[in-house]
Coordinates of all heavy atoms in Angstrom, one line a residue:
Chain T
W104 N -5.6 0.0 6.1 CA -6.5 0.7 7.0 C -6.1 2.0 7.6 O -6.9 2.8 7.9 CB -6.9 -0.3 8.2 CG -7.5 -1.6 7.7 CD1 -6.9 -2.8 7.7 CD2 -8.9 -1.7 7.2 NE1 -7.8 -3.7 7.1 CE2 -9.0 -3.1 6.8 CE3 -9.9 -0.8 6.9 CZ2 -10.2 -3.6 6.2 CZ3 -11.1 -1.3 6.4 CH2 -11.1 -2.7 6.0
H189 N -22.4 -21.2 10.7 CA -22.9 -20.2 11.6 C -23.3 -20.8 13.0 O -23.1 -20.2 14.0 CB -24.1 -19.4 11.0 CG -23.6 -18.3 10.2 ND1 -23.7 -16.9 10.5 CD2 -23.0 -18.3 8.9 CE1 -23.1 -16.2 9.6 NE2 -22.8 -17.0 8.6
H223 N -24.4 -11.3 -7.5 CA -25.3 -10.5 -6.7 C -24.6 -9.3 -6.0 O -23.3 -9.2 -6.1 CB -26.0 -11.4 -5.5 CG -25.0 -12.0 -4.6 ND1 -24.4 -11.4 -3.6 CD2 -24.6 -13.3 -4.5 CE1 -23.6 -12.3 -3.0 NE2 -23.7 -13.4 -3.5
K227 N -21.7 -6.2 2.4 CA -20.3 -6.1 2.9 C -19.4 -5.5 1.8 O -18.6 -6.3 1.2 CB -19.8 -7.4 3.4 CG -20.5 -8.0 4.6 CD -19.9 -9.4 4.9 CE -20.7 -10.1 5.9 NZ -20.6 -9.8 7.3
A229 N -16.8 -3.9 1.6 CA -15.4 -3.9 1.7 C -14.8 -5.4 1.3 O -13.6 -5.5 1.2 CB -15.0 -3.6 3.2
A235 N -14.1 -14.3 -0.5 CA -14.9 -14.4 0.7 C -16.3 -14.9 0.5 O -17.0 -15.1 1.5 CB -15.1 -13.0 1.3
R241 N -19.7 -11.6 -6.2 CA -20.2 -10.4 -5.4 C -19.8 -9.2 -6.0 O -18.7 -9.0 -6.4 CB -19.6 -10.5 -4.0 CG -20.5 -10.3 -2.8 CD -19.6 -10.4 -1.6 NE -20.0 -11.5 -0.8 CZ -19.4 -11.7 0.5 NH1 -18.5 -10.9 0.9 NH2 -19.8 -12.8 1.1
D378 N -2.7 0.7 15.8 CA -3.5 -0.6 16.0 C -5.0 -0.2 16.3 O -5.9 -0.9 15.8 CB -2.9 -1.4 17.2 CG -1.6 -2.0 16.8 OD1 -1.3 -2.1 15.6 OD2 -0.9 -2.5 17.7
I385 N -11.7 -1.3 10.7 CA -12.2 -2.6 10.4 C -13.6 -2.7 10.9 O -14.5 -3.2 10.1 CB -11.3 -3.7 10.9 CG1 -10.0 -3.8 10.1 CG2 -12.0 -5.0 11.0 CD1 -9.0 -4.8 10.6
H388 N -16.0 -0.9 8.7 CA -16.2 -1.5 7.4 C -16.9 -2.9 7.5 O -16.9 -3.6 6.5 CB -14.9 -1.6 6.6 CG -14.4 -0.3 6.1 ND1 -13.8 0.6 6.9 CD2 -14.6 0.4 4.9 CE1 -13.6 1.7 6.3 NE2 -14.0 1.5 5.0
Q389 N -17.5 -3.2 8.6 CA -18.3 -4.4 8.7 C -19.6 -4.3 7.8 O -19.9 -3.1 7.5 CB -18.6 -4.8 10.2 CG -17.5 -5.1 11.0 CD -16.8 -6.4 10.5 OE1 -17.4 -7.5 10.4 NE2 -15.5 -6.3 10.0
D427 N -17.8 -12.0 14.7 CA -17.1 -11.8 13.5 C -15.6 -11.5 13.7 O -14.8 -11.8 12.9 CB -17.8 -10.6 12.7 CG -19.1 -11.0 12.1 OD1 -19.3 -12.2 12.0 OD2 -19.9 -10.2 11.9
E429 N -14.0 -11.7 17.0 CA -13.5 -12.3 18.2 C -13.1 -11.2 19.3 O -12.1 -11.3 19.9 CB -12.4 -13.3 18.0 CG -12.9 -14.5 17.1 CD -11.8 -15.4 16.7 OE1 -10.6 -15.3 17.2 OE2 -12.0 -16.2 15.7
Chain D
A90 N 4.3 -5.5 14.7 CA 3.3 -4.7 14.1 C 2.8 -5.3 12.9 O 1.5 -5.3 12.6 CB 3.9 -3.3 13.7
K93 N 0.6 -8.1 13.9 CA -0.7 -7.5 14.3 C -1.6 -7.1 13.2 O -2.8 -7.4 13.2 CB -0.4 -6.4 15.3 CG -0.2 -6.9 16.7 CD -0.4 -5.7 17.7 CE 0.9 -5.0 17.9 NZ 0.8 -3.9 18.9
A94 N -0.9 -6.4 12.2 CA -1.7 -6.0 11.0 C -2.2 -7.2 10.2 O -3.4 -7.2 9.8 CB -0.8 -5.1 10.1
A97 N -5.1 -8.7 12.2 CA -6.2 -7.8 12.0 C -6.9 -8.1 10.6 O -8.1 -8.2 10.5 CB -5.9 -6.4 12.2
E98 N -6.0 -8.2 9.6 CA -6.5 -8.4 8.2 C -7.1 -9.7 8.1 O -8.2 -9.9 7.4 CB -5.3 -8.2 7.3 CG -5.7 -8.2 5.8 CD -6.7 -7.1 5.4 OE1 -6.7 -6.0 6.1 OE2 -7.4 -7.3 4.5
A100 N -8.6 -11.5 10.5 CA -9.9 -11.3 11.2 C -10.9 -10.6 10.3 O -12.1 -11.0 10.2 CB -9.7 -10.6 12.5
F101 N -10.4 -9.6 9.7 CA -11.4 -8.7 8.8 C -11.9 -9.7 7.6 O -13.1 -9.7 7.4 CB -10.7 -7.5 8.2 CG -11.4 -6.9 7.1 CD1 -12.6 -6.3 7.4 CD2 -11.0 -7.1 5.8 CE1 -13.3 -5.7 6.4 CE2 -11.7 -6.5 4.8 CZ -12.9 -5.8 5.0
Q102 N -10.9 -10.3 7.0 CA -11.3 -11.2 5.8 C -12.3 -12.3 6.2 O -13.3 -12.5 5.5 CB -10.1 -11.8 5.2 CG -9.3 -10.7 4.5 CD -8.3 -11.2 3.4 OE1 -8.5 -12.3 2.9 NE2 -7.3 -10.4 3.0
K103 N -12.1 -12.8 7.4 CA -13.0 -13.8 7.9 C -14.4 -13.2 8.2 O -15.4 -13.9 7.8 CB -12.4 -14.4 9.2 CG -12.8 -15.8 9.5 CD -12.1 -16.4 10.7 CE -13.0 -16.9 11.7 NZ -12.5 -17.0 13.0
S104 N -14.4 -12.0 8.6 CA -15.7 -11.4 9.0 C -16.4 -10.9 7.7 O -17.6 -10.6 7.7 CB -15.4 -10.1 9.8 OG -14.9 -9.1 9.0
M105 N -15.8 -11.0 6.6 CA -16.4 -10.6 5.3 C -17.2 -11.8 4.7 O -17.8 -11.6 3.6 CB -15.4 -10.1 4.3 CG -14.9 -8.7 4.7 SD -16.2 -7.4 4.5 CE -16.5 -7.0 6.2
K106 N -17.1 -12.9 5.2 CA -17.8 -14.1 4.6 C -19.2 -14.0 5.0 O -19.6 -13.3 6.0 CB -17.2 -15.4 5.2 CG -15.8 -15.6 4.6 CD -15.2 -16.9 5.1 CE -13.8 -17.1 4.6 NZ -13.1 -18.2 5.2
K107 N -20.1 -14.7 4.4 CA -21.5 -14.6 4.6 C -21.8 -15.1 6.0 O -21.2 -16.0 6.5 CB -22.2 -15.5 3.6 CG -22.7 -14.8 2.4 CD -23.4 -15.7 1.4 CE -23.6 -15.0 0.1 NZ -23.7 -16.0 -1.0

Side-chain angles (χ1 to χ4, degrees):
Chain T
W104 298 105
H189 276 256
H223 60 75
K227 297 174 190 284
R241 224 181 246 186
D378 287 346
I385 286 175
H388 286 79
Q389 290 299 298
D427 291 337
E429 294 172 17
Chain D
K93 275 196 272 184
E98 190 54 28
F101 166 72
Q102 291 201 16
K103 211 172 122 197
S104 74
M105 287 292 107
K106 291 180 184 173
K107 269 178 192 158

